[in-house]
């Protein structure tokens, strides 16, 4: 029994380490090779969560759910962080400055949700490696202050 627990912990730890380095394909392949089974759907789903096609206003909730499930299943303690513009009615837009300097529209409702784990932010804009929390927050832009609230589940824009 102890050997099974250690093997499961090792599998999870190594898979998380690969994901943390942005090696999503390698994490999926490692899982399949180690277990002798296809990677589970929740692990396969993380591949599309970081896809550039998800870098659109309104996709954040599904992306955050996918990332949160994968990290939780691998033994992590991720948290959902809701970001809201203080004056969403007057200033509903939030932008994210990409590494290439381009600004991308994150929301048109004043609401965005991101996953934070071990001091790093994860969403479609960060890619699989995530970003340090302070850097992530410094890349956000809005015409009003942005609040952050840790929540148990994604509640969506109000």
């Amino acid at each position: 029994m102890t050997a099974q627990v250690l093997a499961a912990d090792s599998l999870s730890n190594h898979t998380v380490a690969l994901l943390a380095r942005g090696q999503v394909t390698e994490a999926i392949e490692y899982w399949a090779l180690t277990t002798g089974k296809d990677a589970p759907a929740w692990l396969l789903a993380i591949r599309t969560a970081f896809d550039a096609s998800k870098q659109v206003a309104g996709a954040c909730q599904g992306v955050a759910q996918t990332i949160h499930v994968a990290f939780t299943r691998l033994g992590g303690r991720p948290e959902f962080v809701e970001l809201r513009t203080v004056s969403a009615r007057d200033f509903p837009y939030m932008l994210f400055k990409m590494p290439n300097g381009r600004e991308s529209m994150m929301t048109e409702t004043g609401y965005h949700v991101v996953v934070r784990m071990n001091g790093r932010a994860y969403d479609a804009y960060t890619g699989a490696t995530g970003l340090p929390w302070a850097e992530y927050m410094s890349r956000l832009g809005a015409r009003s202050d942005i609040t952050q609230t840790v929540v148990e589940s994604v509640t969506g824009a109000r």
Side-chain angles (χ1 to χ4, degrees):
M1 181 67 157
T2 303
Q4 288 176 325
V5 171
L6 290 175
D9 284 349
S10 177
L11 173 63
S12 293
N13 290 340
H14 191 71
T15 303
V16 167
L18 289 167
L19 290 175
R21 290 193 300 265
Q23 297 175 292
V24 176
T25 300
E26 291 83 350
I28 292 167
E29 290 172 355
Y30 175 77
W31 184 283
L33 182 64
T34 303
T35 64
K37 303 175 186 173
D38 290 338
W42 56 263
L43 183 57
L44 295 172
I46 204 163
R47 182 177 18 204
T48 57
F50 297 116
D51 190 76
S53 69
K54 299 292 185 181
Q55 295 173 357
V56 294
C60 67
Q61 294 172 41
V63 168
Q65 293 279 13
T66 298
I67 295 167
H68 193 278
V69 165
F71 283 150
T72 300
R73 292 273 181 110
L74 291 167
R77 295 184 186 271
E79 55 189 10
F80 291 114
V81 181
E82 290 183 336
L83 305 172
R84 295 181 188 273
T85 56
V86 171
S87 184
R89 192 169 144 237
D90 296 326
F91 304 109
Y93 302 101
M94 201 181 303
L95 303 173
F96 187 78
K97 189 169 191 171
M98 303 298 285
N100 64 6
R102 178 180 65 89
E103 290 185 340
S104 187
M105 178 73 65
M106 292 179 85
T107 180
E108 298 173 353
T109 63
Y111 171 83
H112 182 72
V113 65
V114 61
V115 172
R116 181 169 56 195
M117 190 169 88
N118 299 333
R120 295 183 74 80
Y122 295 91
D123 70 5
Y125 299 90
T126 66
T129 57
L131 285 173
W133 187 254
E135 180 179 346
Y136 182 85
M137 293 303 292
S138 74
R139 290 184 181 208
L140 293 180
R143 292 189 63 199
S144 103
D145 289 339
I146 299 170
T147 63
Q148 49 183 300
T149 307
V150 175
V151 296
E152 291 295 316
S153 62
V154 177
T155 60
R158 289 183 213 138

